[in-house]
PDB file of all heavy atoms in Angstrom:
ATOM      1  N   ASP D 489    -167.564 -28.590-149.738  1.00 79.00           N
ATOM      2  CA  ASP D 489    -169.008 -28.375-149.841  1.00 79.00           C
ATOM      3  C   ASP D 489    -169.739 -28.628-148.530  1.00 79.00           C
ATOM      4  O   ASP D 489    -170.934 -28.399-148.438  1.00 79.00           O
ATOM      5  CB  ASP D 489    -169.605 -29.282-150.918  1.00 79.00           C
ATOM      6  CG  ASP D 489    -169.189 -28.855-152.314  1.00 79.00           C
ATOM      7  OD1 ASP D 489    -168.904 -27.667-152.509  1.00 79.00           O
ATOM      8  OD2 ASP D 489    -169.160 -29.728-153.199  1.00 79.00           O
ATOM      9  N   GLY D 490    -169.041 -29.129-147.521  1.00 82.00           N
ATOM     10  CA  GLY D 490    -169.707 -29.511-146.291  1.00 82.00           C
ATOM     11  C   GLY D 490    -169.517 -28.516-145.167  1.00 82.00           C
ATOM     12  O   GLY D 490    -168.677 -27.617-145.225  1.00 82.00           O
ATOM     13  N   ILE D 491    -170.324 -28.692-144.121  1.00 85.00           N
ATOM     14  CA  ILE D 491    -170.190 -27.934-142.881  1.00 85.00           C
ATOM     15  C   ILE D 491    -169.855 -28.949-141.801  1.00 85.00           C
ATOM     16  O   ILE D 491    -170.587 -29.930-141.615  1.00 85.00           O
ATOM     17  CB  ILE D 491    -171.492 -27.178-142.536  1.00 85.00           C
ATOM     18  CG1 ILE D 491    -171.834 -26.195-143.652  1.00 85.00           C
ATOM     19  CG2 ILE D 491    -171.352 -26.460-141.193  1.00 85.00           C
ATOM     20  CD1 ILE D 491    -173.195 -25.566-143.499  1.00 85.00           C
ATOM     21  N   TYR D 492    -168.755 -28.708-141.089  1.00 85.00           N
ATOM     22  CA  TYR D 492    -168.243 -29.681-140.134  1.00 85.00           C
ATOM     23  C   TYR D 492    -168.105 -29.059-138.756  1.00 85.00           C
ATOM     24  O   TYR D 492    -167.954 -27.851-138.621  1.00 85.00           O
ATOM     25  CB  TYR D 492    -166.867 -30.191-140.599  1.00 85.00           C
ATOM     26  CG  TYR D 492    -166.923 -30.839-141.949  1.00 85.00           C
ATOM     27  CD1 TYR D 492    -166.739 -30.101-143.108  1.00 85.00           C
ATOM     28  CD2 TYR D 492    -167.188 -32.187-142.070  1.00 85.00           C
ATOM     29  CE1 TYR D 492    -166.809 -30.696-144.354  1.00 85.00           C
ATOM     30  CE2 TYR D 492    -167.257 -32.801-143.309  1.00 85.00           C
ATOM     31  CZ  TYR D 492    -167.071 -32.045-144.454  1.00 85.00           C
ATOM     32  OH  TYR D 492    -167.157 -32.625-145.681  1.00 85.00           O
ATOM     33  N   ASP D 493    -168.107 -29.910-137.740  1.00 85.00           N
ATOM     34  CA  ASP D 493    -167.815 -29.425-136.396  1.00 85.00           C
ATOM     35  C   ASP D 493    -166.299 -29.476-136.196  1.00 85.00           C
ATOM     36  O   ASP D 493    -165.546 -29.717-137.137  1.00 85.00           O
ATOM     37  CB  ASP D 493    -168.582 -30.211-135.337  1.00 85.00           C
ATOM     38  CG  ASP D 493    -168.124 -31.650-135.192  1.00 85.00           C
ATOM     39  OD1 ASP D 493    -167.209 -32.081-135.921  1.00 85.00           O
ATOM     40  OD2 ASP D 493    -168.680 -32.352-134.338  1.00 85.00           O
ATOM     41  N   GLY D 494    -165.835 -29.275-134.990  1.00 79.00           N
ATOM     42  CA  GLY D 494    -164.406 -29.187-134.718  1.00 79.00           C
ATOM     43  C   GLY D 494    -163.626 -30.465-134.909  1.00 79.00           C
ATOM     44  O   GLY D 494    -162.401 -30.440-134.974  1.00 79.00           O
ATOM     45  N   ILE D 495    -164.308 -31.607-134.990  1.00 80.00           N
ATOM     46  CA  ILE D 495    -163.603 -32.872-135.215  1.00 80.00           C
ATOM     47  C   ILE D 495    -164.042 -33.516-136.532  1.00 80.00           C
ATOM     48  O   ILE D 495    -164.055 -34.724-136.680  1.00 80.00           O
ATOM     49  CB  ILE D 495    -163.764 -33.846-134.023  1.00 80.00           C
ATOM     50  CG1 ILE D 495    -165.231 -34.078-133.685  1.00 80.00           C
ATOM     51  CG2 ILE D 495    -163.009 -33.324-132.813  1.00 80.00           C
ATOM     52  CD1 ILE D 495    -165.454 -35.127-132.617  1.00 80.00           C
ATOM     53  N   GLN D 496    -164.386 -32.690-137.472  1.00 83.00           N
ATOM     54  CA  GLN D 496    -164.688 -33.048-138.858  1.00 83.00           C
ATOM     55  C   GLN D 496    -165.869 -34.006-138.994  1.00 83.00           C
ATOM     56  O   GLN D 496    -165.884 -34.884-139.837  1.00 83.00           O
ATOM     57  CB  GLN D 496    -163.452 -33.613-139.564  1.00 83.00           C
ATOM     58  CG  GLN D 496    -163.564 -33.504-141.075  1.00 83.00           C
ATOM     59  CD  GLN D 496    -162.379 -34.107-141.798  1.00 83.00           C
ATOM     60  OE1 GLN D 496    -161.582 -34.825-141.247  1.00 83.00           O
ATOM     61  NE2 GLN D 496    -162.287 -33.802-143.070  1.00 83.00           N
ATOM     62  N   ARG D 497    -166.892 -33.814-138.186  1.00 86.00           N
ATOM     63  CA  ARG D 497    -168.127 -34.567-138.392  1.00 86.00           C
ATOM     64  C   ARG D 497    -169.030 -33.739-139.298  1.00 86.00           C
ATOM     65  O   ARG D 497    -169.223 -32.546-139.060  1.00 86.00           O
ATOM     66  CB  ARG D 497    -168.827 -34.846-137.060  1.00 86.00           C
ATOM     67  CG  ARG D 497    -168.064 -35.820-136.193  1.00 86.00           C
ATOM     68  CD  ARG D 497    -168.800 -36.152-134.930  1.00 86.00           C
ATOM     69  NE  ARG D 497    -168.897 -34.960-134.077  1.00 86.00           N
ATOM     70  CZ  ARG D 497    -169.308 -34.990-132.817  1.00 86.00           C
ATOM     71  NH1 ARG D 497    -169.678 -36.120-132.264  1.00 86.00           N
ATOM     72  NH2 ARG D 497    -169.367 -33.878-132.117  1.00 86.00           N
ATOM     73  N   PRO D 498    -169.603 -34.346-140.353  1.00 88.00           N
ATOM     74  CA  PRO D 498    -170.441 -33.609-141.304  1.00 88.00           C
ATOM     75  C   PRO D 498    -171.810 -33.293-140.692  1.00 88.00           C
ATOM     76  O   PRO D 498    -172.671 -34.160-140.585  1.00 88.00           O
ATOM     77  CB  PRO D 498    -170.561 -34.559-142.485  1.00 88.00           C
ATOM     78  CG  PRO D 498    -170.388 -35.925-141.884  1.00 88.00           C
ATOM     79  CD  PRO D 498    -169.455 -35.749-140.724  1.00 88.00           C
ATOM     80  N   LEU D 499    -172.009 -32.053-140.311  1.00 89.00           N
ATOM     81  CA  LEU D 499    -173.214 -31.689-139.558  1.00 89.00           C
ATOM     82  C   LEU D 499    -174.495 -31.848-140.370  1.00 89.00           C
ATOM     83  O   LEU D 499    -175.520 -32.251-139.832  1.00 89.00           O
ATOM     84  CB  LEU D 499    -173.076 -30.264-139.024  1.00 89.00           C
ATOM     85  CG  LEU D 499    -171.943 -30.074-138.018  1.00 89.00           C
ATOM     86  CD1 LEU D 499    -171.839 -28.612-137.606  1.00 89.00           C
ATOM     87  CD2 LEU D 499    -172.148 -30.969-136.811  1.00 89.00           C
ATOM     88  N   GLU D 500    -174.457 -31.547-141.656  1.00 88.00           N
ATOM     89  CA  GLU D 500    -175.673 -31.675-142.466  1.00 88.00           C
ATOM     90  C   GLU D 500    -176.124 -33.136-142.556  1.00 88.00           C
ATOM     91  O   GLU D 500    -177.307 -33.438-142.402  1.00 88.00           O
ATOM     92  CB  GLU D 500    -175.434 -31.104-143.860  1.00 88.00           C
ATOM     93  CG  GLU D 500    -176.701 -31.094-144.707  1.00 88.00           C
ATOM     94  CD  GLU D 500    -176.488 -30.434-146.062  1.00 88.00           C
ATOM     95  OE1 GLU D 500    -175.403 -29.872-146.293  1.00 88.00           O
ATOM     96  OE2 GLU D 500    -177.412 -30.484-146.868  1.00 88.00           O
ATOM     97  N   ARG D 501    -175.190 -34.053-142.786  1.00 88.00           N
ATOM     98  CA  ARG D 501    -175.568 -35.474-142.865  1.00 88.00           C
ATOM     99  C   ARG D 501    -175.996 -36.030-141.514  1.00 88.00           C
ATOM    100  O   ARG D 501    -176.887 -36.866-141.426  1.00 88.00           O
ATOM    101  CB  ARG D 501    -174.430 -36.298-143.466  1.00 88.00           C
ATOM    102  CG  ARG D 501    -174.453 -36.190-144.986  1.00 88.00           C
ATOM    103  CD  ARG D 501    -173.496 -37.128-145.646  1.00 88.00           C
ATOM    104  NE  ARG D 501    -172.193 -36.477-145.592  1.00 88.00           N
ATOM    105  CZ  ARG D 501    -171.053 -37.109-145.481  1.00 88.00           C
ATOM    106  NH1 ARG D 501    -171.021 -38.400-145.413  1.00 88.00           N
ATOM    107  NH2 ARG D 501    -169.928 -36.446-145.439  1.00 88.00           N
ATOM    108  N   ILE D 502    -175.386 -35.548-140.445  1.00 89.00           N
ATOM    109  CA  ILE D 502    -175.802 -35.975-139.104  1.00 89.00           C
ATOM    110  C   ILE D 502    -177.218 -35.502-138.828  1.00 89.00           C
ATOM    111  O   ILE D 502    -178.042 -36.231-138.284  1.00 89.00           O
ATOM    112  CB  ILE D 502    -174.822 -35.461-138.033  1.00 89.00           C
ATOM    113  CG1 ILE D 502    -173.483 -36.195-138.168  1.00 89.00           C
ATOM    114  CG2 ILE D 502    -175.399 -35.641-136.640  1.00 89.00           C
ATOM    115  CD1 ILE D 502    -172.388 -35.652-137.285  1.00 89.00           C
ATOM    116  N   GLN D 503    -177.545 -34.269-139.238  1.00 90.00           N
ATOM    117  CA  GLN D 503    -178.895 -33.735-139.033  1.00 90.00           C
ATOM    118  C   GLN D 503    -179.907 -34.550-139.818  1.00 90.00           C
ATOM    119  O   GLN D 503    -180.980 -34.870-139.321  1.00 90.00           O
ATOM    120  CB  GLN D 503    -178.940 -32.259-139.439  1.00 90.00           C
ATOM    121  CG  GLN D 503    -180.220 -31.552-139.081  1.00 90.00           C
ATOM    122  CD  GLN D 503    -181.333 -31.725-140.098  1.00 90.00           C
ATOM    123  OE1 GLN D 503    -181.088 -31.865-141.288  1.00 90.00           O
ATOM    124  NE2 GLN D 503    -182.555 -31.743-139.620  1.00 90.00           N
ATOM    125  N   GLN D 504    -179.585 -34.922-141.049  1.00 88.00           N
ATOM    126  CA  GLN D 504    -180.501 -35.733-141.858  1.00 88.00           C
ATOM    127  C   GLN D 504    -180.706 -37.112-141.233  1.00 88.00           C
ATOM    128  O   GLN D 504    -181.817 -37.643-141.221  1.00 88.00           O
ATOM    129  CB  GLN D 504    -179.970 -35.879-143.279  1.00 88.00           C
ATOM    130  CG  GLN D 504    -179.996 -34.592-144.065  1.00 88.00           C
ATOM    131  CD  GLN D 504    -179.226 -34.676-145.372  1.00 88.00           C
ATOM    132  OE1 GLN D 504    -178.551 -35.657-145.648  1.00 88.00           O
ATOM    133  NE2 GLN D 504    -179.304 -33.619-146.171  1.00 88.00           N
ATOM    134  N   LEU D 505    -179.639 -37.687-140.698  1.00 86.00           N
ATOM    135  CA  LEU D 505    -179.708 -39.004-140.089  1.00 86.00           C
ATOM    136  C   LEU D 505    -180.492 -38.995-138.776  1.00 86.00           C
ATOM    137  O   LEU D 505    -181.348 -39.840-138.539  1.00 86.00           O
ATOM    138  CB  LEU D 505    -178.283 -39.531-139.848  1.00 86.00           C
ATOM    139  CG  LEU D 505    -178.145 -40.885-139.211  1.00 86.00           C
ATOM    140  CD1 LEU D 505    -178.535 -41.960-140.210  1.00 86.00           C
ATOM    141  CD2 LEU D 505    -176.714 -41.105-138.744  1.00 86.00           C
ATOM    142  N   SER D 506    -180.231 -37.989-137.933  1.00 89.00           N
ATOM    143  CA  SER D 506    -180.835 -37.970-136.601  1.00 89.00           C
ATOM    144  C   SER D 506    -182.148 -37.200-136.536  1.00 89.00           C
ATOM    145  O   SER D 506    -182.858 -37.293-135.546  1.00 89.00           O
ATOM    146  CB  SER D 506    -179.853 -37.358-135.603  1.00 89.00           C
ATOM    147  OG  SER D 506    -179.638 -35.991-135.901  1.00 89.00           O
ATOM    148  N   GLN D 507    -182.462 -36.404-137.590  1.00 89.00           N
ATOM    149  CA  GLN D 507    -183.647 -35.555-137.596  1.00 89.00           C
ATOM    150  C   GLN D 507    -183.689 -34.642-136.378  1.00 89.00           C
ATOM    151  O   GLN D 507    -184.725 -34.422-135.772  1.00 89.00           O
ATOM    152  CB  GLN D 507    -184.924 -36.415-137.658  1.00 89.00           C
ATOM    153  CG  GLN D 507    -185.071 -37.192-138.947  1.00 89.00           C
ATOM    154  CD  GLN D 507    -185.169 -36.265-140.160  1.00 89.00           C
ATOM    155  OE1 GLN D 507    -186.001 -35.389-140.207  1.00 89.00           O
ATOM    156  NE2 GLN D 507    -184.292 -36.467-141.126  1.00 89.00           N
ATOM    157  N   SER D 508    -182.509 -34.122-136.005  1.00 87.00           N
ATOM    158  CA  SER D 508    -182.392 -33.236-134.856  1.00 87.00           C
ATOM    159  C   SER D 508    -181.284 -32.228-135.126  1.00 87.00           C
ATOM    160  O   SER D 508    -180.374 -32.498-135.904  1.00 87.00           O
ATOM    161  CB  SER D 508    -182.052 -34.049-133.603  1.00 87.00           C
ATOM    162  OG  SER D 508    -181.751 -33.190-132.524  1.00 87.00           O
ATOM    163  N   VAL D 509    -181.361 -31.077-134.467  1.00 84.00           N
ATOM    164  CA  VAL D 509    -180.302 -30.078-134.590  1.00 84.00           C
ATOM    165  C   VAL D 509    -179.135 -30.405-133.663  1.00 84.00           C
ATOM    166  O   VAL D 509    -178.092 -29.766-133.728  1.00 84.00           O
ATOM    167  CB  VAL D 509    -180.815 -28.651-134.311  1.00 84.00           C
ATOM    168  CG1 VAL D 509    -181.829 -28.242-135.360  1.00 84.00           C
ATOM    169  CG2 VAL D 509    -181.377 -28.538-132.909  1.00 84.00           C
ATOM    170  N   PHE D 510    -179.307 -31.400-132.795  1.00 87.00           N
ATOM    171  CA  PHE D 510    -178.265 -31.799-131.863  1.00 87.00           C
ATOM    172  C   PHE D 510    -177.518 -33.016-132.392  1.00 87.00           C
ATOM    173  O   PHE D 510    -178.112 -33.901-133.016  1.00 87.00           O
ATOM    174  CB  PHE D 510    -178.864 -32.109-130.488  1.00 87.00           C
ATOM    175  CG  PHE D 510    -179.572 -30.926-129.893  1.00 87.00           C
ATOM    176  CD1 PHE D 510    -180.953 -30.858-129.895  1.00 87.00           C
ATOM    177  CD2 PHE D 510    -178.844 -29.870-129.356  1.00 87.00           C
ATOM    178  CE1 PHE D 510    -181.603 -29.761-129.358  1.00 87.00           C
ATOM    179  CE2 PHE D 510    -179.485 -28.771-128.819  1.00 87.00           C
ATOM    180  CZ  PHE D 510    -180.870 -28.712-128.821  1.00 87.00           C
ATOM    181  N   VAL D 511    -176.220 -33.075-132.136  1.00 87.00           N
ATOM    182  CA  VAL D 511    -175.406 -34.225-132.537  1.00 87.00           C
ATOM    183  C   VAL D 511    -175.584 -35.310-131.472  1.00 87.00           C
ATOM    184  O   VAL D 511    -175.216 -35.104-130.317  1.00 87.00           O
ATOM    185  CB  VAL D 511    -173.917 -33.839-132.662  1.00 87.00           C
ATOM    186  CG1 VAL D 511    -173.078 -35.050-133.000  1.00 87.00           C
ATOM    187  CG2 VAL D 511    -173.735 -32.739-133.697  1.00 87.00           C
TER     188      VAL D 511
END
Side-chain angles (χ1 to χ4, degrees):
D489 290 333
I491 300 171
Y492 301 90
D493 68 359
I495 54 174
Q496 201 182 14
R497 291 184 294 191
L499 296 177
E500 185 176 353
R501 279 188 278 147
I502 291 173
Q503 189 276 329
Q504 291 169 353
L505 180 72
S506 66
Q507 295 298 305
S508 172
V509 295
F510 300 103
V511 177

